[in-house]
Amino acid sequence: MLKRRSLWIVLAATILIALIGGRVMAKKNAPDVTNLAVAAAPAALEFLPSDVTEVKAGDIRKVLQLSGSLRAVNQAAVKAKVGGEVREVLVREGELVKQGQVLIKMDVSEYQARFEQSKGTLQAMHGQLDIATKTRDNNKELLAKGFISKNSFDNADSQYAIARANLESAQGGLDVAKKSLADTVIRAPITGLVSVRSVQPGEKVSPDNRLLDLVDLRQMEMEAALPVSDIASVTLGQEVQVTIEGLPNALPGKVARINPATQAGSRSILVYIALDNPQNTLRMGMFGEAKLTLAKKAGVLTVPQSAVQTEAGAAVIYAIEHGKLIAKPVTLGIKGENQEGASVEVLQGLDNGAQIVKTNLGNLQAGTVIRFAKAGNVISKAQ
């Protein structure tokens, strides 16, 4: 009896152990429904509104970057025309002067004396010419009546010619003395501002000494060095947008001149970009950066250059359609700039108004679900 009861106990324990082992094996082999559900659901990316943009039709310009400093188109160096002592300097740096305005007065005593001397000499020559004229005329009559020889008349005629030449010489001397006297008063050759004053009253100067510098700021130009490799793309009259250091807005300009020779010691050619300056805002020596328009198209589809990615050697732009990322192979045109910055023309592959990823956000996957983050949320993007 005891043996039979022990046998039943052993049998029951064996069955119980088998059941428990089966349950454990079944649980191990059963699929994890939760993990399958997570794996089946594609990961969503959160974008900020600033991460996307809309394809628009607009203008695009292919530009060439240049830089240089400003200079006045019209400027003049005022120099002494005669030597002497400076009596008055009537202007200072920064003053506006008109063409013909008196700038400097010099000591006139020496030149006034020379003028008076020349004037006296001229009067004496007039007197000598009158005498020679009368003598010649009288001798001409006497020759006609046979009272004098032909040789005597020729002598009188020669004296007349000499007196006339002396008069002309005296007149020339008087003109020179008059000009020298006038040159003691120095006038402005152009309308402009005094930029440099190099002389003070009381100084003695020699002819050709530099006294003042004048600049006319109404017409300015930027002198920029252009690489020789780009010279074939630049022509007179091309549009330029110039940004001047210290000024908020870009200024319109155009290519006014191109230097015919390269700069010594460099492979560059100077180009001169004309700028209007009606308010005298621009100044000599200001530094500027220019964008020269090489090509221009209007009414074409453009996207930011940062939106274009290269995959397998082809240009691709990621668009958002029905809340998912779609890889769009595109054909591109010219690269340049529009009103929003660096952009590129799209010839094929996108429609006007398409929503695209604006910047390269990493390894994007086509088909990924997209949602836009709310303000304050942490943005999760592809790494």
Side-chain angles (χ1 to χ4, degrees):
M1 188 71 177
L2 184 57
K3 277 186 179 184
R4 185 177 292 179
R5 180 177 297 176
S6 298
L7 183 61
W8 279 107
I9 291 173
V10 171
L11 183 60
T14 302
I15 293 173
L16 181 60
I17 291 171
L19 288 175
I20 292 173
R23 274 188 154 188
V24 170
M25 291 300 295
K27 190 172 184 180
K28 283 185 179 180
N29 294 330
D32 190 338
V33 178
T34 302
N35 291 338
L36 283 178
V38 171
L45 293 179
E46 286 189 348
F47 283 176
L48 287 172
S50 59
D51 291 331
V52 299
T53 188
E54 191 175 283
V55 179
K56 298 178 183 177
D59 299 343
I60 186 172
R61 299 183 303 122
K62 183 179 179 180
V63 298
L64 178 65
Q65 301 279 353
L66 298 172
S67 62
S69 57
L70 299 187
R71 49 181 280 177
V73 174
N74 296 319
Q75 47 188 311
V78 180
K79 296 183 178 181
K81 296 180 180 180
V82 294
E85 181 182 340
V86 175
R87 287 293 179 87
E88 295 181 77
V89 182
L90 304 176
V91 293
R92 289 190 172 277
E93 294 90 337
E95 290 188 23
L96 175 66
V97 298
K98 301 291 185 181
Q99 185 176 12
Q101 179 180 333
V102 176
L103 305 177
I104 296 173
K105 292 182 179 180
M106 300 179 64
D107 181 19
V108 300
S109 56
E110 180 182 350
Y111 298 100
Q112 184 68 47
R114 290 180 183 178
F115 174 74
E116 296 297 337
Q117 183 182 24
S118 298
K119 189 161 60 171
T121 302
L122 180 64
Q123 290 176 349
M125 292 303 103
H126 271 294
Q128 289 184 8
L129 180 60
D130 289 341
I131 295 172
T133 302
K134 290 177 182 180
T135 301
R136 186 196 65 167
D137 293 344
N138 289 336
N139 285 351
K140 188 175 183 181
E141 292 180 4
L142 293 173
L143 178 64
K145 294 178 181 180
F147 293 150
I148 62 172
S149 65
K150 180 69 168 57
N151 186 48
S152 296
F153 172 76
D154 289 343
N155 288 335
D157 190 53
S158 296
Q159 293 299 319
Y160 166 79
I162 293 172
R164 186 171 182 177
N166 288 337
L167 177 64
E168 291 176 354
S169 177
Q171 182 63 58
L174 179 63
D175 292 341
V176 171
K178 184 178 180 179
K179 184 180 183 303
S180 296
L181 180 61
D183 286 343
T184 59
V185 178
I186 300 173
R187 301 177 181 271
I190 64 171
T191 297
L193 297 170
V194 179
S195 61
V196 177
R197 170 176 155 165
S198 306
V199 66
Q200 302 296 333
E203 292 185 25
K204 287 188 176 182
V205 297
S206 302
D208 210 35
N209 270 25
R210 196 165 188 156
L211 309 178
L212 300 170
D213 285 348
L214 304 180
V215 294
D216 182 359
L217 297 181
R218 291 174 296 180
Q219 282 287 334
M220 302 291 288
E221 63 184 11
M222 189 179 85
E223 185 181 72
L226 176 73
V228 174
S229 57
D230 294 322
I231 191 62
S233 304
V234 179
T235 58
L236 297 179
Q238 278 181 314
E239 296 179 4
V240 184
Q241 292 291 321
V242 181
T243 302
I244 305 298
E245 187 177 9
L247 299 183
N249 300 320
L251 302 175
K254 64 180 181 180
V255 177
R257 294 179 292 125
I258 302 175
N259 200 300
T262 60
Q263 286 185 289
S266 69
R267 291 187 173 183
S268 60
I269 295 175
L270 291 178
V271 296
Y272 303 90
I273 300 166
L275 298 167
D276 289 331
N277 189 28
Q279 305 299 324
N280 287 349
T281 306
L282 305 179
R283 291 289 189 270
M284 291 269 292
M286 279 185 167
F287 183 80
E289 294 184 349
K291 294 178 180 179
L292 191 152
T293 302
L294 299 178
K296 185 177 180 180
K297 285 188 176 182
V300 297
L301 295 183
T302 61
V303 298
Q305 291 185 20
S306 57
V308 181
Q309 300 189 34
T310 302
E311 296 182 1
V316 173
I317 294 177
Y318 280 90
I320 300 175
E321 296 180 0
H322 308 296
K324 293 183 179 180
L325 278 179
I326 305 295
K328 295 278 190 178
V330 291
T331 303
L332 303 177
I334 67 171
K335 288 185 178 181
E337 293 185 353
N338 59 13
Q339 293 182 346
E340 298 178 357
S343 59
V344 60
E345 177 190 11
V346 177
L347 300 175
Q348 293 180 347
L350 288 175
D351 296 326
N352 191 8
Q355 192 177 39
I356 63 170
V357 179
K358 187 176 180 180
T359 55
N360 189 346
L361 299 178
N363 187 20
L364 299 177
Q365 298 292 331
T368 303
V369 177
I370 297 301
R371 63 172 178 263
F372 289 96
K374 297 179 181 179
N377 282 4
V378 178
I379 310 301
S380 173
K381 299 179 182 177
Q383 298 299 321

